[in-house]
Amino acid sequence: MTPPSELKADSLGIVESIIMGVAGTAPAYSVEITTSTIVGTAGTLSPASILVCGLVMFGIAYAFINMNRALASAGTSYAWVSMVFGRTLGFFAGWALLVLCCVFMVSAMIPAANATLLIFDRPLMNNVHAVTLIAAGWLTLVSLVVIKGIKLTSYVQVLMTVVEGIILLAIIVAGFVVFPHTPQHAFSWEWFSPFGFTPKVFASSALVAIFFFYGWDVTLNLSEETRDANRTPGRAAFWSMVFLMAFFLVFITLALLGLSDDEIQHFNTNIIFAMAEKLFGPLWGYVAIIAVLLSTVGTVETQMLQFTRTLFAKSRDGALHQRYARLHPRWNTPHIAIFLIWATGLALLLVSSYLPTINVILQDSITAIGFQICFYLGLTGLACGWFYRAELVRGPWRAATHVIWPVASALFLFFIALSSIPTFDWVTNVVGMGGIAVGAIPLLLNRKRLLRVSPG
């Protein structure tokens, strides 16, 4: 059987794409692990931080929508930045995404394993080898689903997201009924005002808030596998962002109403568990854990899609070795790229089980990932503004959505990333900036390889 040369086109519709975008951001997982961090940084101004960063992300979403109309590519940021600013800068935009996918995916597997053991065998949660084994099992299962094709992957994602959504909706409705009567924080509209921040608090909380919104762009990575590739993924990204912004604002507000500062810090990465238990009793705490588990596994699946599609596009263009652009003859998936991320994940999990400091790196990598997110999304925003600069004279709306908003959002992301560097410890520097910088090695090695194989 002759291997296919293109991804399986016309596999996803608008509904599946929206669900992919929502699942990519992992609503339950993001709220669960990040709420205590942002509340500890911004306090009752956490909703304002979410609101501002959501508006910034809308500017980046417009950049993705517009660039996808110009060029539908599985490589997204890599392909567009290469097209506008050259292959070197494009390479690093794609490399930043590859690195953060690895860090995020593996760091998410550990909470997924903990959630599994919390449900089935709680005493084993403190056994690092048991956690590693369960995490490896989840990673392998997700890899098998992804390698079998985009249709099966989308069906599994839809099922998990629907179940997760039903559980979260029940908690939201009950929260609005119960929490306002005995609020732990007295509600104020000032929670949503960005003018209450000091510059330092705003910068540090914004980097965390950016992490909330990461992942919706997987819809664009799947553009070559989506019907009406130049338009449907963009519409899906827009509506994913609308839903996510509303959801995060609602849930952070409910967390402030229902939980005290001490409770938020005590429960730390179990915020949804704490809210559900407070509303419905101990049993529902475990139901909430199911939602978090599904959300975590779902976002690992989308991370794997982003990683493999970006790697596929870079290899197809010759920016990396072409072996990663090979597609499975039956399933039309970049199976070698999937094997690479699976093997890398297992290796990092194995290391984390023997070196506790590595485990800490994987668990506490939000700021490092936030820095990498700002880097590749910011480059995409600037690329959009430069590519569509002629739109500045074609009406205020086109000027805003094609140039002004994307560029302003990109500059904001770079400002947040750069202003946060002085607060980084050595671990964050190594994972965040070092992870991007090490991309120079494969870039140079691949160029030498191309020189060797080129005729003459």
Side-chain angles (χ1 to χ4, degrees), residues 134-368:
I134 297 297
W138 275 117
L139 180 61
T140 302
L141 179 61
V142 172
S143 301
L144 290 173
V145 170
V146 172
I147 203 171
K148 290 283 285 183
I150 191 61
K151 287 303 291 184
L152 175 63
T153 302
S154 68
Y155 292 153
V156 172
Q157 192 66 263
V158 168
L159 177 62
M160 291 191 296
T161 305
V162 168
V163 175
E164 173 193 352
I166 292 171
I167 296 172
L168 293 177
L169 181 62
I171 294 173
I172 289 172
V173 172
F176 273 117
V177 172
V178 175
F179 289 154
H181 295 295
T182 55
Q184 297 297 315
H185 299 85
F187 178 79
S188 171
W189 287 110
E190 293 181 0
W191 292 3
F192 302 89
S193 172
F195 301 109
F197 287 106
T198 64
K200 182 178 180 180
V201 170
F202 179 69
S204 56
S205 65
L207 196 64
V208 180
I210 289 296
F211 179 83
F212 271 92
F213 290 100
Y214 166 64
W216 53 267
D217 50 315
V218 68
T219 60
L220 287 306
N221 287 102
L222 299 174
S223 60
E224 295 182 35
E225 298 158 88
T226 305
R227 292 190 287 274
D228 194 0
N230 293 97
R231 295 187 178 276
T232 298
R235 291 198 293 267
F238 176 84
W239 289 112
S240 297
M241 275 298 302
V242 170
F243 170 83
L244 291 165
M245 191 168 179
F247 171 81
F248 288 136
L249 283 173
V250 166
F251 227 95
I252 292 295
T253 301
L254 283 177
L256 289 171
L257 288 173
L259 302 174
S260 66
D261 289 337
D262 289 340
E263 286 176 318
I264 289 173
Q265 296 309 313
H266 171 72
F267 284 100
N268 194 13
T269 57
N270 288 293
I271 295 298
I272 298 178
F273 176 89
M275 292 172 66
E277 195 171 52
K278 206 167 190 178
L279 289 167
F280 301 110
L283 179 61
W284 258 82
Y286 289 95
V287 174
I289 291 298
I290 294 175
V292 175
L293 176 60
L294 293 174
S295 180
T296 307
V297 173
T299 196
V300 168
E301 183 180 275
T302 59
Q303 288 297 292
M304 192 169 287
L305 289 171
Q306 284 196 285
F307 180 96
T308 55
R309 270 48 177 185
T310 301
L311 188 58
F312 165 81
K314 295 184 76 168
S315 301
R316 178 179 59 186
D317 295 347
L320 288 173
H321 198 287
Q322 291 187 343
R323 70 169 67 94
Y324 303 114
R326 295 173 189 165
L327 298 176
H328 192 277
R330 180 177 177 185
W331 301 317
N332 280 61
T333 53
H335 56 294
I336 297 177
I338 295 170
F339 177 80
L340 175 66
I341 187 64
W342 172 77
T344 302
L346 288 183
L348 289 174
L349 283 171
L350 180 64
V351 171
S352 73
S353 70
Y354 287 98
L355 295 176
T357 53
I358 299 297
N359 199 5
V360 170
I361 291 173
L362 296 175
Q363 289 278 21
D364 302 330
S365 56
I366 290 176
T367 51

Side-chain angles (χ1 to χ4, degrees), residues 77-100:
S77 293
Y78 150 74
W80 302 328
V81 175
S82 295
M83 181 175 68
V84 177
F85 294 135
R87 291 175 65 87
T88 298
L89 204 54
F91 180 93
F92 280 103
W95 182 262
L97 177 59
L98 295 178
V99 171
L100 75 89

Side-chain angles (χ1 to χ4, degrees), residues 65-84:
I65 291 168
N66 295 325
M67 294 306 294
N68 185 70
R69 285 176 179 165
L71 174 65
S73 171
T76 59
S77 293
Y78 150 74
W80 302 328
V81 175
S82 295
M83 181 175 68
V84 177

